[in-house]
Each structure stands twice: as structure tokens, then as C-alpha cells.
Amino acid sequence: AQKVTQTQTSISVMEKTTVTMDCVYETQDSSYFLFWYKQTASGEIVFLIRQDSYKKENATVGHYSLNFQKPKSSIGLIITATQIEDSAVYFCAMREVRNNYAQGLTFGLGTRVSVFP
Amino acid sequence: DTTVKQNPRYKLARVGKPVNLICSQTMNHDTMYWYQKKPNQAPKLLLFYYDKILNREADTFEKFQSSRPNNSFCSLYIGSAGLEYSAMYLCASSRAGSQNTLYFGAGTRLSVL
């Protein structure tokens, strides 16, 4: 069974700085996919960025980037030039394959990010 | 359009009464999911449909039912609500394939009294 762990409960940063969030995972699969989502104040969960386990390059989308360290089973999220609206709960998630078809995502507990002016 | 729609946004239910939540998507995704989210907890997968095949998680197998009469529509049914069912219920959809992301609806906040 897979497991996703986010140890940071909350992080506070000043606007326009960089924030880094940690995530470690456990899986028996040789190929897997890692995702980051954020939950807004309204409760909506929004997809941010994905890392494919077979790719060595770190994924980057806009001001989101990933620090993928496969030997450490780690997938950190980096947000540069943070804005007030980046304040949210950020979830790390993993997708496994079972019985030859994809299952749902397994999520971590989330990290609450507060961005202050 | 990556919209997943859930109705209603808020629902109040009485203990012991049934609850039916509705989700729709227009992206022609073959897989639809239901998650339960409680405060300070990770979203928990309850069940999902791949096409017409229902997969329910082992620890919630008897608590939730679902139907998918067509590709676009999926419901979540609770036969007899208990206080522990109070939570946000999130519907999501995706194309088949592990690499494909899930798109979530805004959720239905269920309060059981």
C-alpha cells in the first residue's frame, strides 16, 4: 500500500518570497505519478503540477516547481514570488496502478501556507 | 472546460435518514471518483467508477453506494446518515491512465444533525 507524508503542518512567509514544502512517499510500484494540489479558502481542490517518476527533470509550471529526489522518495513543492492569493492548503498526492488500471489518488495531510504582505 | 459540478453545495441531513449527492462532468472522462474530506485530514477515497465498473475501498465498502447511469453523471448515496458522515464530499473525474490528473468539483458540505 502506498503512503504520502507531509510533515509540515503550516508555513508562514512574506509576500514575494519563496516557500518550499516537503513530501515523502512510499510505494511498491516501479512507475508512479506524483501530484500537488491546493485547497482554496472555499474548499475547492485545484491541480497545480505533476511529476512522472521516470522523468529525471523536475517539473515546472508557472511559479510552481518540484524538487524530485527519487532515491529519497521525496517530492518537494517550491513556490517562487509568492502572492497573497497563494495562501491555501497544499496537498501532495500519489497515483498507483492496481490490477492493471489506475486507482484514485492517495493524499498527504496537507501543509497550510499563509502569505503575509 | 474542466468543470466538475456538484449539487448541492451544502446539505443538512438528519441522523438515520438517507442522503444522495450528485456530480456531473462534461469532459467525457471515463473515471469518476468520490472523496470524503474532514478538517485537518487528508481527502479519503471512498469509491470510483471506471466506465461502468464500481470500485469501493475496503474500509468504506458498506457505508456508501453509488450509481453512474451515464458517462457524465455519478451519485453518492448514504442509506442511513450518522454523525460521523458530516464532512465535505468531493467528486472528481479523469481520463484513464495513471498520468492523468483528477479534476475536482467544488464539493458538497454535508452536516448531519
Side-chain angles (χ1 to χ4, degrees):
Chain A
Q2 60 182 8
K3 184 178 179 181
V4 177
T5 303
Q6 296 177 254
T7 56
Q8 299 157 297
T9 304
S10 63
I11 302 174
S12 295
V13 296
M14 300 297 291
E15 191 179 14
K16 300 178 184 177
T17 62
T18 296
V19 62
T20 300
M21 283 164 267
D22 301 328
C23 175
V24 293
Y25 56 89
E26 298 175 21
T27 181
Q28 302 297 325
D29 292 351
S30 58
S31 179
Y32 48 90
F33 300 86
L34 302 162
F35 302 81
W36 279 89
Y37 285 79
K38 81 174 190 180
Q39 185 174 32
T40 64
S42 66
E44 190 172 4
I45 295 183
V46 179
F47 167 69
L48 298 177
I49 191 169
R50 184 190 89 215
Q51 178 75 42
D52 302 345
S53 66
Y54 56 86
K55 291 185 177 179
K56 293 184 178 179
E57 303 79 21
N58 290 318
T60 298
V61 176
H63 74 147
Y64 302 108
S65 62
L66 298 178
N67 179 17
F68 181 42
Q69 300 183 57
K70 194 171 182 178
K72 296 183 179 180
S73 297
S74 172
I75 183 73
L77 173 67
I78 303 164
I79 308 175
T80 57
T82 54
Q83 303 165 13
I84 301 297
E85 51 266 34
D86 290 323
S87 297
V89 179
Y90 290 81
F91 289 99
C92 177
M94 167 183 281
R95 195 94 176 267
E96 72 170 349
V97 178
R98 196 187 310 157
N99 297 328
N100 296 319
Y101 62 91
Q103 304 294 303
L105 294 172
T106 297
F107 286 87
L109 285 175
T111 297
R112 180 177 297 278
V113 172
S114 300
V115 181
F116 294 96
Chain B
D1 182 12
T2 56
T3 300
V4 177
K5 295 184 178 179
Q6 293 187 241
N7 286 299
R9 288 297 307 276
Y10 302 91
K11 187 167 184 70
L12 193 62
R14 296 293 181 184
V15 171
K17 298 298 185 182
V19 176
N20 195 47
L21 307 180
I22 296 170
C23 177
S24 65
Q25 51 92 11
T26 56
M27 297 172 280
N28 201 30
H29 285 168
D30 43 30
T31 310
M32 295 184 75
Y33 309 80
W34 281 101
Y35 279 82
Q36 181 190 65
K37 175 74 173 68
K38 293 184 176 182
N40 302 315
Q41 295 184 19
K44 176 181 171 55
L45 179 66
L46 300 176
L47 53 87
F48 67 94
Y49 264 100
Y50 170 63
D51 195 14
K52 290 179 169 51
I53 302 170
L54 174 61
N55 298 270
R56 287 185 287 180
E57 294 296 290
D59 58 346
T60 57
F61 190 85
E62 297 180 346
K63 295 183 178 181
F64 300 93
Q65 294 284 343
S66 183
S67 67
R68 193 179 186 188
N70 55 59
N71 177 269
S72 301
F73 179 93
C74 189
S75 67
L76 181 70
Y77 180 76
I78 300 168
S80 176
L83 295 176
E84 71 276 15
Y85 287 88
S86 292
M88 175 77 87
Y89 289 86
L90 296 158
C91 175
S93 71
S94 76
R95 295 192 186 280
S98 304
Q99 74 280 12
N100 293 311
T101 190
L102 274 63
Y103 294 95
F104 284 84
T108 295
R109 188 173 297 280
L110 174 65
S111 298
V112 182
L113 303 176

